[in-house]
Amino acid sequence: MSAFDVTLSEQGAADVGQRLSELSAELQQRAVRAGLNRAGKPILETMQQLVPVSDGEDAGELKQSLARRSLTKNARGRLGLAEGTVAVRIGPIKKVNGYSQAYVGRLVEHGVEPSTRKVFRRIGGTHNLKRRYAHIRAYTYKHPGQKAQPFMAPALKRNAGQFENRFYEGMSAYLKRKGL
């Protein structure tokens, strides 16, 4: 489970639960999803403002990958969420130039410790069993590390106070559009 769980007050959750119990299951899920999308929009905008942009050839790719998306049934199952649970993911989701930026987002958010790494590379050669390892070269390099530059956690903290109100606004706007 994520470290960014947001909870609603007991009174607010009870009121919402009572109103939603009167609606059909599909309409309930759509209303909750609309509320989560409305509440997540300012979090996404803040992330886009805070994300560091490098000057290299991959400049801005992490920023381009930031998005808000509903979790699929399979993704909810992998996370261990109950059947019928509505969830929205906010962060580096979209692929940029064919590559996922989720791993890069974690490295930027949490940083990298300095370390020495050993990499094995296959360099041509033959597949003859007598010279089995003749085509493999090992390289050792020292990674200087990278300082953490959090942008996801601060975005959530800045917008946590208004999350509940925006969630309710999004749900009520959806239900008004549906004539309920």
Side-chain angles (χ1 to χ4, degrees):
M1 187 97 96
S2 169
F4 303 116
D5 292 333
V6 178
T7 59
L8 303 175
S9 68
E10 288 183 37
Q11 177 67 27
D15 293 343
V16 170
Q18 182 180 2
R19 288 187 62 199
L20 287 176
S21 65
E22 300 167 2
L23 302 174
S24 71
E26 184 176 341
L27 192 59
Q28 287 179 20
Q29 288 181 349
R30 288 180 185 221
V32 170
R33 187 176 297 117
L36 289 173
N37 282 328
R38 170 77 61 95
K41 185 177 180 182
I43 296 171
L44 177 63
E45 291 170 353
T46 306
M47 270 188 210
Q48 290 171 336
Q49 293 170 0
L50 297 177
V51 67
V53 178
S54 65
D55 295 330
E57 61 187 50
D58 58 349
E61 287 184 355
L62 182 58
K63 186 173 185 174
Q64 291 174 17
S65 72
L66 295 175
R68 182 182 70 238
R69 191 171 291 159
S70 296
L71 290 181
T72 63
K73 184 177 180 180
N74 288 339
R76 291 190 309 260
R78 281 193 308 268
L79 292 172
L81 299 176
E83 183 74 27
T85 302
V86 179
V88 175
R89 179 178 171 203
I90 303 170
I93 297 170
K94 294 189 291 187
K95 288 185 177 183
V96 178
N97 296 329
Y99 296 101
S100 172
Q101 297 295 311
Y103 182 70
V104 174
R106 283 192 299 272
L107 293 178
V108 171
E109 181 79 9
H110 301 291
V112 179
E113 293 292 322
S115 63
T116 302
R117 299 175 185 212
K118 192 169 191 176
V119 179
F120 296 94
R121 299 277 189 236
R122 182 170 175 254
I123 303 176
T126 179
H127 292 285
N128 188 338
L129 291 176
K130 293 179 182 175
R131 291 190 271 165
R132 185 174 187 165
Y133 300 108
H135 60 283
I136 297 176
R137 301 288 184 261
Y139 299 96
T140 304
Y141 68 95
K142 183 165 179 69
H143 189 281
Q146 177 181 334
K147 183 180 166 191
Q149 298 174 312
F151 62 97
M152 292 186 266
L156 182 68
K157 288 178 186 172
R158 285 187 190 178
N159 295 289
Q162 301 93 14
F163 187 88
E164 191 173 342
N165 290 336
R166 288 189 178 123
F167 175 76
Y168 293 135
E169 288 172 5
M171 275 187 24
S172 64
Y174 177 81
L175 293 174
K176 283 181 186 176
R177 283 194 309 265
K178 293 296 180 182
L180 301 172

